[in-house]
Structures are given as C-alpha cells and as structure tokens.
Amino acid sequence: MRPYRSLLLLCALSIPGLPHAAEKQTFSSETARFKLQSVADNLEHPWSLAFLPGGSMLVTERTGRLRVIRNGKLLPQAVPGLPSLVVSGQGGLFDVVLHPDFEENRILFLSYAHGSSEGMTTRVARASLENGQLKDVDIVFEALPRSGASRHFGGRMAFDTSGYLYISVGDRGDMDRAQDTTDDAGGVHRITVDGEPAPGNPGLNDPNINNTLFTWGNRNIQGMALHPITGDIWTHEHGPRGGDEINILEAGTNYGWPEITYGIDYSGLPISLKTEKEGMAQPLHYWDPSIAPSGMAFYTGSDFPEWQGSLFVGALKLRKLVRLDVTNRRINAEEDLLTNLGERIRDVRNGPNGSLWLLTDSPRGKVYQAVPVQ
C-alpha cells in the first residue's frame, strides 16, 4: 500500500512586534497552543539529549563534548573521559542513550565517528557516569570496513523492550555498500549491552550476513524511537534529493536503498528507475521534496494530552518540527510546526515529566522545552 502523504500546513503564530524572540512567541498546532522555553544555549551543534534520574540532562555536542544541564542551567565544564573521536564533515559525537537499568548501574552508551590510518567509521562506546565523569569506557561496536568519507555515519541508537541496543550506520556516501550484507555500512545493527550480536539476528544463521546486522538497504538513519505500545522500533532516514523515509524495523528486511527510492540524485539524474521491487520493503511514509529529518520521538506526556501518541520528527533542511498522527502502524496525517522559528531541529525527545524537548543545530544551538499555553 502506498504511503499516506496528506499534508496539513500550519504556520507558527507570533506576538506582534517580537518576531525574532522564540520565547515570546506563541505557536499553534491543530490541537494545541504552546511556547518554547530556552533551557540552554550556546551549544556547538548539539546532537542528542538524555534525561538523568533526578532531573538533570546530558547533551552531546557534535564537536566532541558531553555536557550536563542541572537545575535548569548548562554546566560550564564538559564531562571528562570521552573516548577518542574525530570531528570531520558530518562526523563527531552523536547519540547518548542510557542503559535501561541506568539508575542502578550508571551505564550509558555513546555513538561517535572514529578515525585511524585506515579511515573513519561509526563506533559505540559503553561507559559508567560516576561523579561527573566517564569511567570504564569500553568499545562495544565498530562498523567495518572504514572509509575516507566524512558523511553518512548514521549514529542513532535506541533500546527495545528486551534490552537490546539498535545502532544505525549510514552508507558512508557509497550507496552500493547498503546492499552488501557482509559490509556494516547502510544498515541497522542490534547488539547486547556487552557488544555481542543479539539473539535472533538474521546473520547468526547465515554466513553471508554480518552477525550484528538487523536490517540493510538503509541510506542514513538519524531518527529512531521505540513505539510506546507495540514495542516496535521506528526509524527515519535521509533520502537523496527527495525520498526521506519512515520505516518500522523488521529483522532481515531490505529497505531498498539504492535499488529503489522515491528520490533522485543531487545532480537531478535518477538513481533508480524503480520505487518498488520484490523482496524490498516499502516505506511507511516518505517526503518529496526532502525535509532532511533528524531526531524522532513518540509523545506520551501529559503536558499536551491532544498530542498523545503523535510522532514528532525534526527537520534540518526545511527548519521545522513535523507532527504525525499515528494509529498503530499507520500514519494518518501530517502537520508542520515551528515553520517561523527558522531553526534546524536536530533532535526531539519525550521528557520524563510530560514535556516535549528540542535541540537546534547551529554553532549556538539551544535546548528548548515546549510549554503549553492555555
């Protein structure tokens, strides 16, 4: 069945005379009104946000720093102890996710770009956060082979309900790698917290598939979220010129890149003449033209009961927040928010206290909390 692509364009409403101060604007969706409260600013290309027990937050900066927000203020010093990483092109420090039992074991996971004489790649490290610093840093995943490209690292992560960690790796700018199941690029990997291939991975019984691979045919996934009811892992990925996709991950599924795509090359030439092919999954939803999606969260909070169950996606290229009305495994409608904010939305997070949080991607990036307006 073809993806549902209806679009409800809703522009942000601002208080007259204060068009450039986000905190002074009132924004409207089809069902709710809200303001953005700036919690932290002057972050260098913030990439990911994680909520700690007790109310503090961790924020990654792509330029290679892990920061802490405590009592509503950004601490001046970065968290020491990060693994060695490289900041080049799209590469740097990416995602931070907490172990499902973080409150007891203080373990977290970081994804990042790593460089060596053999090139660059996507790595994941496990570490303990103790007394404001990282300790016992251990590399639990490394995508191979490396390459000289500085783009399409992927780097989004999420835990499923069984406690397995999903890691996206982009095609590294070499599209054909996404169809090679003996290559770690262009797919999603599923591992245990100790870095072993997760039970049930398709490659455990097939020597032609790398044993951590869960899916392949993925161009560059930068959004990943656990569905709060079904337990499915949803993702979105960047298309080329058009063809950004939303998919639900299924073990051993080929999502088609570059054999099938709803986009074209940046040059304007076709990449493939096919949008469908036997044995390759259709996207649940796609965008054409591209919005350059990044960050992804299902809203389950209480601040905005009208948004319960909605899927939120940030957009870099088109500088907006997208709200998708979702029923089970179907997208019913789409709504554009924050179109007048003028910010690249890098990450979207469902907060622990019923709130929705955003990161903006710029040299002076911000952490915003959406606050309801009566």
Side-chain angles (χ1 to χ4, degrees):
M1 183 169 61
R2 290 297 181 93
Y4 188 90
R5 302 179 60 219
S6 68
L7 178 65
L8 302 175
L9 294 175
L10 288 174
C11 296
L13 303 178
S14 64
I15 297 175
L18 297 171
H20 302 296
E23 294 84 353
K24 301 297 184 181
Q25 295 186 57
T26 297
F27 301 94
S28 292
S29 81
E30 190 177 40
T31 57
R33 299 174 68 241
F34 62 100
K35 290 185 177 182
L36 293 181
Q37 177 180 323
S38 178
V39 177
D41 57 15
N42 291 321
L43 290 154
E44 284 194 78
H45 298 285
W47 214 91
S48 177
L49 181 66
F51 301 92
L52 298 172
S56 295
M57 289 169 276
L58 295 174
V59 184
T60 61
E61 292 177 287
R62 185 171 54 80
T63 46
R65 288 183 294 271
L66 180 63
R67 307 292 296 276
V68 176
I69 298 173
R70 183 176 298 149
N71 297 323
K73 295 182 179 180
L74 180 68
L75 301 189
Q77 299 300 320
V79 175
L82 259 67
S84 174
L85 57 86
V86 63
V87 180
S88 177
Q90 297 173 359
L93 181 59
F94 302 133
D95 216 349
V96 54
V97 297
L98 306 184
H99 188 288
D101 299 320
F102 177 85
E103 198 160 1
E104 289 76 37
N105 60 28
R106 305 294 294 179
I107 292 174
L108 56 77
F109 295 80
L110 295 163
S111 60
Y112 55 96
H114 183 265
S116 74
S117 60
E118 297 176 351
M120 290 180 285
T121 191
T122 304
R123 266 188 176 181
V124 174
R126 182 184 63 197
S128 297
L129 181 62
E130 301 176 18
N131 300 318
Q133 60 183 321
L134 296 181
K135 296 184 177 181
D136 302 321
V137 178
D138 185 29
I139 309 306
V140 294
F141 175 80
E142 176 175 294
L144 295 175
R146 293 169 177 262
S147 77
S150 60
R151 61 188 183 276
H152 296 187
F153 290 93
R156 281 294 177 194
M157 301 185 292
F159 276 101
D160 66 12
T161 55
S162 297
Y164 300 131
L165 182 64
Y166 294 69
I167 305 158
S168 73
V169 179
D171 68 6
R172 305 291 284 107
D174 184 351
M175 64 180 71
D176 292 333
R177 294 181 66 180
Q179 288 296 319
D180 183 354
T181 54
T182 64
D183 189 321
D184 287 335
V188 175
H189 298 258
R190 187 175 66 153
I191 63 172
T192 70
V193 293
D194 297 318
E196 297 297 320
N201 281 359
L204 294 178
N205 300 312
D206 190 334
N208 297 312
I209 303 173
N210 286 357
N211 58 17
T212 59
L213 266 178
F214 191 72
T215 69
W216 47 91
N218 302 112
R219 184 173 184 265
N220 191 29
I221 291 174
Q222 292 198 337
M224 191 178 292
L226 176 72
H227 192 286
I229 298 175
T230 67
D232 293 324
I233 299 291
W234 290 46
T235 65
H236 65 59
E237 61 185 90
H238 289 259
R241 194 168 139 188
D244 302 336
E245 297 182 2
I246 291 181
N247 293 295
I248 300 175
L249 297 186
E250 303 281 357
T253 298
N254 184 341
Y255 290 90
W257 175 255
E259 295 293 319
I260 59 174
T261 178
Y262 285 90
I264 59 175
D265 197 9
Y266 295 113
S267 67
L269 297 175
I271 292 170
S272 171
L273 298 178
K274 297 180 180 180
T275 57
E276 299 180 19
K277 188 175 181 178
E278 186 177 355
M280 296 182 179
Q282 279 291 293
L284 186 68
H285 185 81
Y286 70 91
W287 287 276
D288 187 12
S290 293
I291 66 168
S294 186
M296 188 178 199
F298 285 97
Y299 183 73
T300 60
S302 56
D303 282 2
F304 301 95
E306 307 89 349
W307 290 348
Q308 280 281 340
S310 292
L311 179 63
F312 286 88
V313 174
L316 299 169
K317 179 181 177 182
L318 294 192
R319 299 174 182 258
K320 62 184 178 180
L321 177 67
V322 178
R323 184 180 75 86
L324 297 162
D325 181 69
V326 176
T327 304
N328 297 323
R329 296 165 69 93
R330 178 177 178 177
I331 294 174
N332 303 309
E334 178 177 347
E335 180 180 18
D336 287 353
L337 307 175
L338 305 181
T339 54
N340 286 358
L341 184 64
E343 294 276 11
R344 290 162 51 91
I345 306 299
R346 171 60 73 180
D347 201 12
V348 187
R349 295 287 168 167
N350 187 57
N353 297 317
S355 52
L356 187 71
W357 295 74
L358 309 173
L359 297 183
T360 65
D361 178 43
S362 79
R364 301 183 63 185
K366 294 185 177 182
V367 179
Y368 282 124
Q369 180 184 3
V371 179
V373 173
Q374 302 301 321

